Amino acid sequence: MFGIPGKNAVTMTPKAAAQIARLMDTGGHAGLRIGVKKGGCAGMEYTMDYVDEADVNDEVVEQDGARVMIAPMAQMFLFGTEIDYEVSLLESGFKFRNPNVVDACGCGESIKFDESLSTQP
């Protein structure tokens, strides 16, 4: 929908692709749907949910055995995002490096996008 021919809407680091593939195998799911929703102190939050099949309008990105689906309403916000998976002594989880984010809360869980993204036709 908002893609550029020949370019994936999102990319995954090798660590993220391996973790997503592992989650898919463990649960027998077709992939993970990523998106955004209103919430958090900066206004928006990322979402990740298991899915058993892609919706017809989802953008599907496959890389190294991992599959993510992006709902149409989230595509414009996530285009160009790199998904990583980080492990530290205190926490582990997915991290989004998104060029469309203009501000984030201190914990990094909540983000704000450029206002012009939500007003595009």
Side-chain angles (χ1 to χ4, degrees):
M1 185 172 200
F2 290 96
I4 296 174
K7 181 174 168 89
N8 284 334
V10 300
T11 58
M12 295 170 261
T13 65
K15 287 181 181 179
Q19 181 65 15
I20 291 169
R22 192 170 18 260
L23 291 170
M24 289 169 54
D25 289 342
T26 301
H29 301 288
L32 293 177
R33 178 170 287 117
I34 59 172
V36 294
K37 68 176 184 174
K38 289 185 178 185
C41 52
M44 301 286 278
E45 298 174 318
Y46 293 111
T47 62
M48 294 185 89
D49 298 298
Y50 292 110
V51 292
D52 294 324
E53 65 181 64
D55 289 340
V56 68
N57 293 317
D58 281 351
E59 177 79 19
V60 179
V61 177
E62 296 182 275
Q63 182 181 321
D64 301 325
R67 184 179 304 112
V68 295
M69 291 86 158
I70 309 166
M73 294 302 290
Q75 291 173 15
M76 68 182 148
F77 296 108
L78 295 173
F79 191 79
T81 297
E82 178 187 63
I83 303 169
D84 194 9
Y85 187 77
E86 297 178 357
V87 177
S88 72
L89 289 173
L90 296 176
E91 65 182 0
S92 62
F94 291 100
K95 302 293 180 184
F96 294 81
R97 293 187 190 96
N98 186 335
N100 303 306
V101 170
V102 295
D103 196 13
C105 67
C107 67
E109 296 293 321
S110 178
I111 56 205
K112 181 178 180 183
F113 295 103
D114 185 335
E115 297 290 327
S116 66
L117 284 177
S118 59
T119 59
Q120 292 181 1

